[in-house]
Amino acid sequence: MSPVAVDGLDLTVPEGGVFGFLGPNGSGKTTTIRCVLGLALPTKGVIRLFGESVAEGLREAVQRTGAIVETPALFPTMTARENLRLLAAVDRIGPGRVDEVLAIVGLADRAGDLVKHYSLGMKQRLGLAAALLKDPDLLMLDEPANGLDPAGMREVRQLLRQLADDGRTVFVSSHVLAEIESTCDRVAVLAKGRLVTHGRVLAAAGQWVTELRPDRFSLEDVFLELTSTADVSEAQLEQVVA
């Protein structure tokens, strides 16, 4: 029997805010995102974007969605502005929008620099700018803080919160607990291709806790417990708080 990358995932992402998709490396996060975006085909099940089946309405849904899947694809010997104008031309987006998104991600002053001279954090922000070109309602970001130093992680974190506060839905895949805790409003935990728990993230008594279970374990406790064993027991699944 062939291994299953994602097994019976049943998840609803509410509109607005930052939604964290948390799981260890290899848990199926990127595969899920690729299926949602039509880059991979699930063997069964139904995926819906904006209430419509991806199988039938992918073209319309993609127009309302911006995404970074793994590392942003950029031309290092072109400037940031040139990279974005090339991408914008594909979707018939005017140059004015390029300048707008560069300003949103804080790169307006460096738009004329070659991308090969950018720091990793700046490249991540440029990738976000590319994802914002269509002024999407939904952003799907796969490990947006991957490989960044603390300053770069803070830059990306602040930007994601800003985008959510502007009314967008930001879906963030990550294996970094601290980033999920400090950025997200809701979180789902994936382990070995299965959804093991989900709920809201709350700030209380000076530390982050989660409404994932009645006894309010910390997000770290829940994550380590539910992802440390080979199989997730039915007792653990019954402790999920909807």
Side-chain angles (χ1 to χ4, degrees), residues 65-160:
T65 305
I68 298 177
V69 183
E70 299 174 328
T71 304
L74 303 168
F75 293 101
T77 57
M78 296 172 63
T79 69
R81 183 178 285 111
E82 288 169 341
N83 268 276
L84 294 186
R85 284 185 174 176
L86 183 62
L87 292 171
V90 174
D91 287 314
R92 299 181 180 179
I93 298 171
R97 180 59 181 167
V98 169
D99 291 331
E100 287 177 9
V101 296
L102 285 167
I104 289 172
V105 302
L107 290 176
D109 293 341
R110 302 291 301 273
D113 292 1
L114 298 180
V115 170
K116 68 180 181 180
H117 298 314
Y118 271 22
S119 67
L120 188 54
M122 293 170 67
K123 290 177 182 176
Q124 290 293 87
R125 282 193 281 158
L126 184 57
L128 282 169
L132 288 169
L133 279 171
K134 293 180 289 187
D135 195 17
D137 298 309
L138 169 66
L139 278 170
M140 299 198 71
L141 309 174
D142 186 17
E143 302 281 4
N146 193 31
L148 300 185
D149 60 19
M153 293 175 74
R154 174 179 289 184
E155 290 175 1
V156 170
R157 181 170 64 241
Q158 292 173 340
L159 179 56
L160 298 187

Side-chain angles (χ1 to χ4, degrees), residues 53-67:
S53 170
V54 168
E56 300 170 357
L58 180 62
R59 182 184 298 272
E60 293 77 12
V62 165
Q63 289 303 311
R64 299 176 59 187
T65 305

